[in-house]
Amino acid sequence: MDHRTESRIADVILYGSVAAMLVFFYIPILTLVAFSFTDSRFLSFPIEDFSLRWYGALFENRDFLPALGNSALVAAVSTLLSTILGTAAALAWMRFRFRFQRVFQAVTFAPLLFPQLLLGVVMLLWFSVLGNWLDFSPGLVTVILGHGVYIIPFTLVIVAVQIHGFDDTLEDAARDAGATRWQVFREITLPLLWPGIVSAAVFAFLLSWGNFYISYSLSGTARTLPTFVFSGIAVGSSPIYPALATLTFVPALLLVVAADGFRRHAAKRNRMVLHTEEN
Amino acid sequence: MKRLRKSWRDPALILAVAPAGLLMTAFFVVPLVMTALLSFQGTKYYRLVWTWNLDVWSDVFSQAHYWTIMGRTVWMSGLCVALCVILGLPIAYAMATRLKSLENHITILIVFAFLTDAVLKTFGWVLFLDRTGVFNGMLTLVGFPPGATDLLFGPGATMIGMVYNLLPYTIFTIYLSMVRIDRDLILAAYDAGASKTRTFFEVTLPLARPGIYAGAILVFVLSLGVFLEPKVMGGGTSPMAAELIRQSFETRVNWPLGAALTLVVIGIGMVSLGLAALVVRNRLQGQDLQGQGGQV
Amino acid sequence: MSHPIIEAAAIDKFYQSYQALHGVSLTVAPGEFLALVGPSGCGKTSLLKILAGFEDPTSGDLMIEGKHMVGVPPSQRPTRMVFQKLALFPHKTVAENIGFPLKLAKVAHGEIDRRVREMLSLMHLKESYMNRLPAQLSGGEQQRVALARSMISKPSVLLLDEPLSALDAKLKKSLQAELKRLHRNLGTSFVHVTHDLEEAMMLADRICVMRAGHMLQVGTPEDIYYRPATTFVAGFIGETNLLPVMVAAHGGQGSKKWRFASPSIACADPVVDRTQSAPTVVDGDALMMLRPEMIHLLPEGTPDMPCAMTGIVDEYFVKGASIQYRVSVEGLAAPVILEVPGTLRRPADVGEPVRLGFRRLDAYLLPADPHAGVAA
């Protein structure tokens, strides 16, 4: 096979696989968006007429509103919890050496290797036992704790990657200039890790917002959007669900785009410094 | 990056370690221990009874039914790993070498799809694969008879769902190990007269092994616990381990049994992790230097 | 000498079991420019970090401005550091970077602004740079900003950690001149770490040569170049000849002279003064150091010099201002290196027999044992 044919075949395979992957990843999402605009009460293809009637129906019956409120609350609190704890843990992972560090690393990373449903089940058992002793039943608080356990390993890894590229002589320079430990952290460390922390927070929000497995196990009688949709489609595919799905995509999409803009802005700054230093 | 040695008396260390450490201990480590303890209890009239015995475990080991399902779970997971690695390789390679300028956009597209609500995506797949769904609809448009494919509610659909949800893991781990490969090594291979295909198989692929292994392990352990895909897309016709666990808790209200089955799945996961660690250690010997060099 | 600004006494530094500094003692006078030189891993950077307060000595004492400094954090010391990679904060503007130490010291805004402008003009930086980010400046400008940041709080000692090592040759020369000018204008003590002895000789009042955690020699550039304490110091800058000789005290007990002998060197009166030898030289084997420019090529018909050698030209290199010859001399393992002023007509060719000469006054004796003078 000559050189040029080989290159061409490789290009077709490589570009083709990326294009195919993107189509594959968006099949269910675009299907839902398309069906949300159908006029029919049956979710079958081809879609005959387009209308907004199911959005109207959605806002008329409002069953989903409590679930929406719960999801927003859970996502907000879990994001805060897992971003702060994940950042602190990442600093300990990357910057410190201490006794039992391996143990600490193992327990903060292991949930990433657990299927979510098993995490949920294991925690449910514990919360039920605890609930018997302390007289409470699973609800939003247990969901938030569960999301924390599930999400912290992700935020930890994202912030740790940012710390990996961090030049710690900048901190020495600040100390040398007369900064206290707290001033070094606030003036230098935090601003420079900020892009990673923001990405971690966005990741945390989306993981919590779209989480089904753990919420399903730990929410007791409370409903979040994913569990609300699950119980809905288990009963039968009502055409309001595609509309609901499309609505939940919007805030997530806006958040991702905004976060990427921020990240790129910050990365440009830092990359330019590295660049000029090498020259 | 230098690491500061910290004593446990240093408030900075406590501040950094304690919150996450305590949360994980209280709601991850302790629950695991509790699960192990529960598997030695019994039930009576749908209520948990604290009687220490091995009844549940002997039940688990004597029922062929459970092990058929466990076997299916392992087989499906293995297949899923193979598909995710094979599909992930060209995509990761293309992202690492050809699509530098678009890399960011592609990453965001993948991440967004990855982080979208799993139930909604599964539901979307149902609508797509259904007999009257989008896929068959499209086939009709090009001349196939209506309902030409009947993928939904079978193991095929389960596998599509699993690959769909887990493929991002292999793409990212392989991609990360590929972008770290020193470009000069590739050029040296070309310079030595290797063709592009040859270079990919002789240089790129071996150096990307850490990423391939990491992705494969992640996908395997995570697919042991899939639940939505076999239930919603597979139609519950060929249940996997997670469904079995759910039934013990919800339908049969037998917590000790559920706990024991959970531990079996965790055990399968840990054994495979251990085996993988052994294999990886043997095969990656001597590549450490490479990796270090790449990081500097 | 007035009261020293830095007094380091018997400093040891261990990293786990590895000993980075062995009993280093050093003083720096107010306004002095001291260079710490040595190959990488010699401990010069560890010593600088101890001076700055990023690390504490394992044992030994450090006083700066008469105060004990062990355990005092960098922020509380009258020292400021210029980092090897500059360590400019990428998220702060030029003005914020330079003014950072004053901001931490809670100096009023207007005063910070005034002093930042003052530093900018001192460093020949445009005021329009104030709102730029470091990334938007050239390498040389970044160096100046880093210097300005360390000088703005008027430290009594400036510590420089090879800040010029990453620059290209031309920029380096201009910044060396800049450093010398700054030092002269400010009257601050400078401690400058470098692995470039030429740079150290150009800039410093005194040079401290280090190797493997030991201080080998502290002295003026002339001391280091002409009167090195060990063969290592002798070989650390430029090229040099170390000719094996036998020495013996000349004129009996309490004499101030050495008599030397070598089968390869013919001298009319082979005696040198004791001041022309390292104090560690003893009777027996020794090495005679001769810098290449001290050995002369003697064409036919020129008068002999007090000492002479004969040999055959091995190789020559035209360096422009000079021509370097390598001459193999019978009885010597290494060729003798010499430099003669460059001329259009080369005085000798490869393979030609030549006569070499030097003055006894230029010879300097070193101990043959390379470990002499180094406490183990």
Side-chain angles (χ1 to χ4, degrees):
Chain A
M1 183 160 46
D2 83 72
H3 196 69
R4 201 169 292 169
T5 341
E6 187 191 358
S7 274
R8 204 164 295 154
I9 292 173
D11 280 351
V12 169
I13 293 176
L14 293 176
Y15 290 116
S17 67
V18 171
M21 163 200 69
L22 289 177
V23 172
F24 179 57
F25 279 160
Y26 280 86
I27 282 177
I29 293 171
L30 296 177
T31 304
L32 284 173
V33 174
F35 276 121
S36 76
F37 294 107
T38 186
D39 191 45
S40 154
R41 48 176 37 261
F42 304 105
L43 298 174
S44 62
F45 193 83
I47 296 166
E48 305 286 343
D49 283 303
F50 291 93
S51 81
L52 293 174
R53 81 180 256 216
W54 298 113
Y55 287 93
L58 193 63
F59 286 107
E60 245 159 59
N61 92 356
R62 297 186 183 189
D63 283 349
F64 74 98
L65 280 179
L68 179 73
N70 287 344
S71 270
L73 179 71
V74 167
V77 180
S78 318
T79 301
L80 213 59
L81 179 77
S82 29
T83 308
I84 294 171
L85 268 57
T87 301
L91 285 168
W93 266 64
M94 304 290 291
R95 305 293 306 275
F96 297 161
R97 272 188 312 154
F98 50 94
R99 261 163 76 84
F100 305 119
Q101 186 163 24
R102 284 304 181 95
V103 177
F104 176 70
Q105 291 180 334
V107 295
T108 45
F109 188 75
L112 200 60
L113 295 172
F114 267 69
Q116 281 185 57
L117 188 84
L118 296 192
L119 268 185
V121 162
V122 167
M123 285 190 278
L124 173 64
L125 286 179
W126 174 230
F127 283 130
S128 308
V129 171
L130 264 188
N132 263 334
W133 291 345
L134 306 175
D135 196 29
F136 71 87
S137 43
L140 293 185
V141 174
T142 51
V143 173
I144 289 169
L145 291 171
H147 282 198
V149 169
Y150 170 58
I151 296 169
I152 284 171
F154 286 93
T155 54
L156 191 160
V157 168
I158 294 169
V159 178
V161 168
Q162 186 81 25
I163 296 175
H164 187 77
F166 181 79
D167 176 7
D168 49 12
T169 56
L170 292 174
E171 292 181 337
D172 286 348
R175 283 205 289 154
D176 188 63
T180 61
R181 277 220 290 197
W182 169 244
Q183 283 171 321
V184 171
F185 186 72
R186 211 196 48 207
E187 294 268 352
I188 310 301
T189 318
L190 204 56
L192 289 174
L193 295 185
W194 200 237
I197 295 171
V198 170
S199 316
V202 171
F203 229 82
F205 184 87
L206 295 176
L207 278 173
S208 173
W209 179 253
N211 183 276
F212 164 72
Y213 287 94
I214 290 175
S215 307
Y216 175 72
S217 310
L218 298 180
S219 58
T221 53
R223 286 267 168 281
T224 62
L225 270 183
T227 57
F228 175 79
V229 173
F230 179 75
S231 47
I233 60 174
V235 176
S237 335
S238 160
I240 67 162
Y241 290 107
L244 181 56
T246 307
L247 282 183
T248 67
F249 294 155
V250 177
L253 192 62
L254 291 179
L255 192 60
V256 168
V257 171
D260 181 60
F262 171 79
R263 192 191 55 76
R264 248 188 285 179
H265 178 72
K268 205 156 122 200
R269 231 180 221 198
N270 292 345
R271 194 171 328 128
M272 277 167 65
V273 172
L274 285 179
H275 197 71
T276 44
E277 263 174 19
E278 275 159 19
N279 284 346
Chain B
M1 167 97 33
K2 62 174 184 278
R3 288 172 175 226
L4 298 173
R5 176 155 277 292
K6 290 273 177 187
S7 133
W8 280 100
R9 259 167 276 159
D10 187 332
L13 181 65
I14 304 282
L15 209 61
V17 167
L22 289 179
L23 185 86
M24 290 298 184
T25 310
F27 302 116
F28 175 64
V29 179
V30 172
L32 277 177
V33 174
M34 191 46 113
T35 307
L37 295 183
L38 271 181
S39 71
F40 296 105
Q41 315 308 325
T43 45
K44 212 172 198 176
Y45 308 119
Y46 299 120
R47 290 194 69 89
L48 180 69
V49 191
W50 286 85
T51 49
W52 295 87
N53 59 52
L54 291 171
D55 292 357
V56 166
W57 283 105
S58 65
D59 183 37
V60 166
F61 282 107
S62 57
Q63 294 249 3
H65 169 63
Y66 297 150
W67 294 96
T68 321
I69 292 179
M70 290 296 169
R72 181 189 295 136
T73 306
V74 170
W75 154 245
M76 292 287 277
S77 301
L79 189 61
C80 181
V81 168
L83 286 171
C84 286
V85 169
I86 292 169
L87 295 174
L89 269 173
I91 296 165
Y93 184 65
M95 283 172 62
T97 58
R98 308 284 162 112
L99 293 160
K100 279 284 172 199
S101 54
L102 288 174
E103 193 190 309
N104 253 315
H105 298 93
I106 295 174
T107 311
I108 291 174
L109 285 171
I110 299 175
V111 167
F112 179 72
F114 175 63
L115 293 177
T116 299
D117 183 350
V119 181
L120 293 179
K121 287 183 294 190
T122 313
F123 182 42
W125 273 112
V126 170
L127 295 180
F128 184 81
L129 294 176
D130 193 32
R131 279 176 67 85
T132 59
V134 178
F135 189 53
N136 280 324
M138 283 176 167
L139 287 181
T140 349
L141 290 182
V142 294
F144 283 88
T149 63
D150 195 5
L151 283 166
L152 197 62
F153 305 142
T158 304
M159 188 49 66
I160 291 177
M162 288 169 69
V163 171
Y164 178 81
N165 284 316
L166 296 168
L167 181 58
Y169 285 100
T170 50
I171 292 178
F172 280 117
T173 53
I174 298 174
Y175 167 76
L176 286 179
S177 63
M178 278 183 174
V179 286
R180 269 183 42 196
I181 296 174
D182 186 354
R183 176 107 188 101
D184 284 355
L185 293 175
I186 311 280
L187 295 182
Y190 291 157
D191 188 59
S195 67
K196 287 195 168 175
T197 321
R198 197 65 200 269
T199 305
F200 176 79
F201 285 103
E202 301 239 357
V203 181
T204 313
L205 200 55
L207 289 178
R209 280 198 307 213
I212 296 175
Y213 293 146
I217 291 165
L218 260 178
V219 168
F220 186 77
V221 293
L222 294 181
S223 60
L224 289 176
V226 294
F227 165 67
L228 273 176
E229 295 89 337
K231 185 164 178 74
V232 178
M233 294 174 71
T237 51
S238 40
M240 287 171 62
E243 176 63 17
L244 199 58
I245 293 170
R246 190 198 64 81
Q247 280 174 8
S248 345
F249 282 109
E250 289 186 4
T251 320
R252 300 170 61 181
V253 200
N254 187 340
W255 287 16
L257 178 65
L261 291 170
T262 304
L263 288 176
V264 169
V265 176
I266 292 174
I268 294 173
M270 281 170 70
V271 168
S272 41
L273 262 179
L275 285 177
L278 273 181
V279 172
V280 169
R281 188 166 306 158
N282 285 335
R283 303 205 48 183
L284 291 186
Q285 258 171 15
Q287 242 191 48
D288 275 359
L289 265 178
Q290 275 296 349
Q292 307 254 317
Q295 278 193 341
V296 169
Chain C
M1 194 160 92
S2 57
H3 208 69
I5 197 153
I6 296 179
E7 289 178 272
I11 288 184
D12 283 330
K13 177 69 186 172
F14 284 87
Y15 297 102
Q16 270 105 43
S17 62
Y18 171 71
Q19 188 167 6
L21 292 176
H22 296 259
V24 171
S25 298
L26 183 72
T27 59
V28 180
E32 189 179 17
F33 197 134
L34 180 89
L36 290 176
V37 296
S40 51
C42 71
K44 57 190 192 296
T45 301
S46 296
L47 182 57
L48 199 73
K49 282 186 173 162
I50 287 173
L51 296 181
F54 292 115
E55 277 162 18
D56 275 329
T58 312
S59 65
D61 194 22
L62 174 67
M63 312 253 286
I64 299 178
E65 290 186 322
K67 294 190 197 85
H68 287 280
M69 281 293 148
V70 175
V72 176
S75 53
Q76 311 292 318
R77 297 189 182 202
T79 56
R80 285 284 175 265
M81 181 130 157
V82 181
F83 290 81
Q84 184 167 18
K85 288 196 215 142
L86 304 184
L88 292 175
F89 306 124
H91 58 300
K92 292 182 185 289
T93 63
V94 167
E96 285 168 345
N97 263 287
I98 298 176
F100 189 62
L102 298 185
K103 179 183 165 192
L104 294 172
K106 305 221 159 51
V107 174
H109 269 296
E111 172 69 4
I112 294 180
D113 188 65
R114 194 183 63 73
R115 278 170 64 184
V116 166
R117 286 172 200 275
E118 202 178 282
M119 287 314 295
L120 285 171
S121 85
L122 178 68
M123 297 311 304
H124 301 317
L125 285 163
K126 295 190 200 117
E127 285 205 358
S128 59
Y129 285 179
M130 285 180 71
N131 293 319
R132 293 206 192 169
L133 291 172
Q136 294 165 307
L137 304 184
S138 74
E141 287 162 348
Q142 290 180 351
Q143 294 277 351
R144 290 159 193 269
V145 173
L147 277 167
R149 184 180 66 188
S150 5
M151 296 304 308
I152 195 165
S153 53
K154 307 201 166 82
S156 41
V157 181
L158 189 67
L159 306 168
L160 301 111
D161 184 13
E162 306 203 36
L164 306 182
S165 63
L167 297 176
D168 64 64
K170 206 171 159 194
L171 196 53
K172 199 170 179 168
K173 283 272 179 288
S174 86
L175 277 155
Q176 282 168 347
E178 191 84 343
L179 270 183
K180 191 125 189 172
R181 178 182 68 88
L182 258 184
H183 176 251
R184 192 161 291 142
N185 290 349
L186 294 169
T188 307
S189 301
F190 280 31
V191 178
H192 181 95
V193 160
T194 176
H195 58 259
D196 180 353
L197 190 55
E198 197 186 330
E199 179 176 301
M201 298 201 32
M202 283 173 58
L203 298 177
D205 301 323
R206 279 194 309 149
I207 295 173
C208 165
V209 183
M210 298 185 64
R211 183 198 195 186
H214 295 275
M215 245 174 57
L216 298 184
Q217 189 175 7
V218 188
T220 62
E222 289 83 358
D223 284 339
I224 303 292
Y225 191 74
Y226 295 109
R227 291 180 288 276
T230 69
T231 53
F232 176 80
V233 177
F236 192 65
I237 181 169
E239 284 165 303
T240 196
N241 296 291
L242 295 167
L243 313 176
V245 291
M246 294 291 292
V247 301
H250 177 64
Q253 211 72 26
S255 140
K256 294 242 158 37
K257 290 186 190 298
W258 287 113
R259 165 176 288 278
F260 63 88
S262 158
S264 313
I265 305 171
C267 276
D269 182 18
V271 172
V272 293
D273 202 83
R274 281 259 182 179
T275 55
Q276 281 175 254
S277 81
T280 45
V281 170
V282 290
D283 277 18
D285 285 327
L287 292 168
M288 176 181 284
M289 183 187 88
L290 287 164
R291 293 282 178 191
E293 64 274 18
M294 296 167 176
I295 301 180
H296 303 267
L297 198 63
L298 305 174
E300 283 301 326
T302 43
D304 264 345
M305 291 188 70
C307 291
M309 293 178 279
T310 54
I312 292 168
V313 174
D314 247 4
E315 190 55 272
Y316 64 84
F317 306 96
V318 178
K319 294 170 89 178
S322 65
I323 303 173
Q324 184 183 87
Y325 278 92
R326 283 166 186 265
V327 177
S328 54
V329 172
E330 200 171 335
L332 297 181
V336 171
I337 301 168
L338 64 141
E339 291 208 9
V340 299
T343 62
L344 201 54
R345 275 192 58 227
R346 212 168 40 244
D349 252 323
V350 173
E352 240 175 73
V354 286
R355 267 187 324 137
L356 310 176
F358 63 92
R359 301 184 302 175
R360 280 179 308 171
L361 208 62
D362 289 332
Y364 190 76
L365 295 174
L366 287 169
D369 175 8
H371 297 296
V374 177

